[in-house]
Amino acid sequence: MKALVLSGGSGTRLRPFSHSMPKQLIPIANKPVLEHVLENIRDLGVTEVGIIVGDWAPEIADVVGDGSRLGLRVTYIPQEAPLGLAHCVTLARPFLGDDDFVMYLGDNMLPEGVREVAESFRTRHPAAEVVVHRVPDPRAFGVAELGPDGTVARLVEKPREPRSDLALIGVYFFTPAIHEAVASIEPSARGELEITDAIQWLVTRGAEVRATEYRGYWKDTGQAADVLECNQTLLAALTPGILGGVDDASLLDGRVRVEPGARVTRSRIDGPAVIGAGTVIEDCHIGPDTSIGAGCVLRNTRVRDSIVMDGAEISGVPGLRYSLIGRNAVVGTGPTGDACHSLVVGDHTRIEVAA
């Protein structure tokens, strides 16, 4: 089996970050979303991975490389325009050949993995097997309607009146039968080749298509609030460890991880929280539910329920909460008013907040 990871989207819902980085590289618990995805794929025993990339191809390649760091062999497949998930399958056909494959959206977080689904697919070997999750409002998703034996009877993309609450959540297992299906469909009203249409094509022609419900935590990291919620969930399972320097005047409580080269001075850190490599924390109160990236500098600041990305500097801010601070951003005190709650600061941005 091979894997096809889709990382070509623009991520408009995550602006301003998507102006300067792909959404798949947003860090969750100090690790890019895409890296979490690739580790899930590796856990399936899959090592050959094709990654669909768009305008952010160089940035993604800088992080993932050839995949060897993660125990994978990565092939990059360029997509000039986002023309639909099924279009990605067409682009990847030379890489996929006639192998079975798992297709995985590169901005989806399923921290408990999909090994059970993979085993079901390998054992039953239907033409396709989709991963579904119960959602309160299915109208924003592709929705699967199932027969009594668990096979898919019908798929509907963003139905106005859903007849099921089982949403497709961005992980699909396919045999080579999907290639004929993709070649047989037409673009939808929005001009894209929809993977739901291709799977429905298989269903209509009597091919076996199954659905397996994923019951663990799932999040589409498409908005800042989703990113912060997901960060909180993953930090709850953080492996603590003090690999950097912590002075005697500092207090660490709960699940706290201080990475190598980090320095904590006269500060309190309430876990779960992670302090990235080479970061300096002085006279601060950090956490809980906070990830501080690598190479940051925080002085005389209180921050919790937040993500601070690599290279950021924060000084003199008395209460930063539910915030997403971009790479190499600078946040300090000044006369511009109170903006400490739910602050979203893009990469390389300098702002001042009220003292």
Side-chain angles (χ1 to χ4, degrees), residues 12-231:
T12 55
R13 293 178 297 161
L14 259 177
R15 290 174 178 163
F17 296 101
S18 55
H19 289 305
S20 57
M21 69 186 300
K23 58 182 178 178
Q24 295 84 6
L25 297 186
I26 293 285
I28 305 289
N30 276 11
K31 185 186 299 183
V33 172
L34 181 58
E35 192 166 324
H36 289 285
V37 167
L38 293 173
E39 289 178 349
N40 274 3
I41 288 170
R42 182 192 61 203
D43 289 345
L44 303 180
V46 176
T47 57
E48 293 283 347
V49 180
I51 302 180
I52 298 287
V53 290
D55 295 339
W56 293 109
E59 287 78 7
I60 290 174
D62 281 347
V63 172
V64 178
D66 63 1
S68 58
R69 176 175 60 87
L70 300 170
L72 303 170
R73 292 186 294 274
V74 168
T75 299
Y76 294 99
I77 303 167
Q79 183 185 37
E80 294 184 1
L83 298 177
L85 306 190
H87 179 249
C88 295
V89 175
T90 299
L91 292 176
R93 181 64 195 273
F95 165 76
L96 296 169
D98 292 324
D99 292 315
D100 295 344
F101 66 99
V102 54
M103 186 168 80
Y104 207 127
L105 299 191
D107 56 358
N108 274 16
M109 289 290 295
L110 293 84
E112 296 172 36
V114 291
R115 280 174 286 187
E116 290 185 7
V117 188
E119 288 305 312
S120 171
F121 175 74
R122 286 166 171 148
T123 300
R124 296 176 180 269
H125 208 238
E129 186 151 354
V130 298
V131 181
V132 295
H133 188 76
R134 295 190 186 275
V135 298
D137 185 1
R139 291 175 296 176
F141 300 90
V143 174
E145 299 173 12
L146 306 187
D149 60 350
T151 59
V152 174
R154 184 168 176 252
L155 288 176
V156 184
E157 184 68 27
K158 297 180 175 63
R160 291 184 179 179
E161 298 182 3
R163 295 196 289 183
S164 165
D165 63 352
L166 293 173
L168 305 179
I169 58 172
V171 182
Y172 314 80
F173 290 83
F174 293 122
T175 66
I178 194 64
H179 297 300
E180 182 182 3
V182 166
S184 301
I185 62 173
E186 298 292 332
S188 65
R190 60 178 182 170
E192 297 187 2
L193 289 175
E194 310 284 357
I195 198 65
T196 48
D197 290 345
I199 300 170
Q200 182 61 47
W201 188 93
L202 292 172
V203 171
T204 301
R205 279 148 187 80
E208 183 183 11
V209 176
R210 302 195 64 85
T212 299
E213 183 179 352
Y214 175 78
R215 299 179 184 273
Y217 177 84
W218 161 72
K219 183 61 65 176
D220 170 2
T221 56
Q223 301 185 58
D226 299 323
V227 170
L228 292 171
E229 179 194 312
C230 193
N231 188 65

Side-chain angles (χ1 to χ4, degrees), residues 244-247 258-259 261-265 275-276 278-282 299:
V246 179
D247 74 351
V258 180
E259 298 288 1
R263 189 173 77 250
V264 179
T265 305
I275 310 299
T279 282
V280 174
I281 306 289
E282 292 181 354
R299 292 189 171 97

